[in-house]
Amino acid sequence: MTSDDPNSYSMTLAYLPGPGVPHWLNKGDNAWQMVAATLVGMQSVPGLVILYGSIVKKKWAVNSAFMALYAFAAVWLCWVTWAYQMSFGERLVPFWGKAGHALNQGSLLAQAGLPATEHHHSDGSSETPAIGPFYPQASMVYFQCVFAAITLILLAGSLLGRMNFKAWMLFVPLWLTFSYTIGAFSIWGGGFLFHWGVMDYSGGYVIHLSSGVAGFTAAYWVGPRSTKDRERFPPNNVLLMLTGAGILWMGWAGFNGGDPYSANVDSSLAVLNTNICAATSLLVWTCLDVIFFKKPSVIGAVQGMITGLVCITPGAGLVQGWAAILMGIVSGSVPWFTMMVVHKRSRLLQQVDDTLGVFHTHAVAGFLGGATTGLFAHPDLCPMFLPVTNSKGAFYGDGMQLLKQVGGALFIISWNVVVTTLVCLVVRLVVPLRMPDDELAIGDDAVHGEEAYALWGDGEKYDSTKHGWYSENDTEHNKAPSGVTQNV
């Protein structure tokens, strides 16, 4: 490009200081934040869309994938219209922000900021300033939206194989508005748990504990799958399930690495700890399957991977590498025990049909992550992220931090039980929560008029006596699972 090129001046405006490159912009931070957001978005689409569509019985492949895809789209519109400001805007009450849109280019191109996050000492003096990353508000809205979306998609894992899709269409915006925004503002956006000093680096409570508890609660109100589906629910494509799981794992680099709101040294540590904990948890879960069931279960390995990713999330940038290994051991063993032993002996857990065991993989693992963060949070790492000065875990002398972590978890649990119940009851006034029995018997073809695989004639209805894994008179049909990791 030469100086006499008529387009030279307009082309350089994108790079020179000015409206497109304000003085506060850090291009590296902005680039990483958008990449991190995209990685998290890919965890949902296509990651969980593929995983859900593959891990379920083949007659539910389309419905399960579509529940994830619909939630991702619906959250986007709600987020920019009102929910972002409720989560990260001006304070309305100690646990909720004021509703408002995030659609004005003036505010979206201005420097990002979370106005309610300035922390004060008990005497009212400023302790730490409000969070103000060095990139535009548009990047913050994008990053936080994909977190909100994946929370609803994780919640859907408890409801696969029987929830009325029309009910799901109503449930998503209501739960986002009255549950997710509360947790996000309370812990991240400047609410009372944020100022109290509860540690949740990247969503162990806001995303995983809330989705696990809400999913279990909603599963109670929706009701169980059909008896045949509960007795036998094999994945329709294990290799594609592993593809979705792999996208989920790799996408977690953006999930945890993007939460310092900067491409800084703590972001690097968070990504490293994430992989350490996930790998440890997967190996521990697999070893337990081999020891007790004599078979290394692929589904079990995926569950162990997920519990490790969930457990490290609240402390990814706050703990050292050795602590990440310990957290992986905990996340690979305790949720395994609750799923494989406690679940099978508990009348309540047996009564509620949590399709993918989201209660164990997200609620239990999320709580463990928050508690172990309260133990192992390092005093040199906490100042890089937390608003409360001199924060540290109980292992380093602050036993109060563990109590804060438990208190924060109890708030998230109780709020989600109550609000999810109310949302289900309201939706039930409009449309049934559960599909009718004839749709449950047929699956995708009855619900959507579409099927995942063309395995029989065009236009032919699903017939379990011809297309099922077992016929009605198969003597093996009613036998219990063979011992490898499976959710009942």
Side-chain angles (χ1 to χ4, degrees), residues 240-260:
L240 271 181
M241 178 196 73
L242 289 174
T243 302
I247 295 172
L248 195 66
W249 188 343
M250 291 298 97
W252 227 282
F255 200 105
N256 288 347
D259 258 303

Side-chain angles (χ1 to χ4, degrees), residues 37 40-45 48-49 52 67-79 83 87-88 141-157 168 171-173 175-176 180-181 184 188 206-208 210-211 248 255:
V40 178
M42 291 182 66
Q43 288 183 293
S44 297
V45 180
L48 286 170
V49 170
Y52 282 4
M67 285 183 70
L69 184 64
Y70 168 81
F72 191 79
V75 167
W76 261 107
L77 195 59
C78 299
W79 192 249
S87 304
F88 297 97
V141 174
Y142 176 29
F143 182 71
Q144 293 297 346
C145 180
V146 289
F147 276 79
I150 200 171
T151 307
L152 267 299
I153 295 172
L154 293 173
L155 189 161
W168 178 241
F171 180 93
V172 169
W175 191 88
L176 173 74
Y180 182 83
T181 60
W188 287 342
V206 177
I207 295 171
H208 300 294
S210 64
S211 63
L248 195 66
F255 200 105

Side-chain angles (χ1 to χ4, degrees), residues 151-166:
T151 307
L152 267 299
I153 295 172
L154 293 173
L155 189 161
S158 296
L159 308 171
L160 301 181
R162 85 284 200 172
M163 187 173 190
N164 185 339
F165 197 87
K166 297 181 182 68

Side-chain angles (χ1 to χ4, degrees), residues 217-232:
T217 304
Y220 170 81
W221 290 106
V222 172
R225 289 166 288 169
S226 67
T227 302
K228 290 181 180 179
D229 282 353
R230 292 198 74 181
E231 290 174 346
R232 182 71 180 173

Side-chain angles (χ1 to χ4, degrees), residues 144-329:
Q144 293 297 346
C145 180
V146 289
F147 276 79
I150 200 171
T151 307
L152 267 299
I153 295 172
L154 293 173
L155 189 161
S158 296
L159 308 171
L160 301 181
R162 85 284 200 172
M163 187 173 190
N164 185 339
F165 197 87
K166 297 181 182 68
W168 178 241
M169 293 174 70
L170 297 175
F171 180 93
V172 169
L174 289 173
W175 191 88
L176 173 74
T177 302
F178 296 104
S179 184
Y180 182 83
T181 60
I182 300 295
F185 186 82
S186 297
I187 296 180
W188 287 342
F192 75 107
L193 294 177
F194 175 92
H195 290 287
W196 192 32
V198 173
M199 298 178 180
D200 188 3
Y201 190 85
S202 195
Y205 286 176
V206 177
I207 295 171
H208 300 294
L209 182 60
S210 64
S211 63
V213 171
F216 187 82
T217 304
Y220 170 81
W221 290 106
V222 172
R225 289 166 288 169
S226 67
T227 302
K228 290 181 180 179
D229 282 353
R230 292 198 74 181
E231 290 174 346
R232 182 71 180 173
F233 207 69
N236 68 84
N237 195 320
V238 173
L239 295 182
L240 271 181
M241 178 196 73
L242 289 174
T243 302
I247 295 172
L248 195 66
W249 188 343
M250 291 298 97
W252 227 282
F255 200 105
N256 288 347
D259 258 303
Y261 301 145
S262 169
N264 60 17
V265 294
D266 198 45
S267 178
S268 301
L269 178 66
V271 173
L272 185 62
N273 281 339
T274 297
N275 286 278
I276 291 172
C277 187
T280 303
S281 183
L282 184 154
L283 297 174
V284 169
W285 194 297
T286 299
C287 288
L288 290 172
D289 274 350
V290 171
I291 291 170
F292 290 95
F293 300 129
K294 314 304 179 186
K295 292 181 181 180
S297 167
V298 176
I299 299 178
V302 170
Q303 289 169 324
M305 175 203 83
I306 292 173
T307 56
L309 293 167
V310 170
C311 185
I312 193 61
T313 291
L318 304 175
V319 302
Q320 295 178 296
W322 63 264
I325 294 177
L326 291 180
M327 292 169 74
I329 294 173

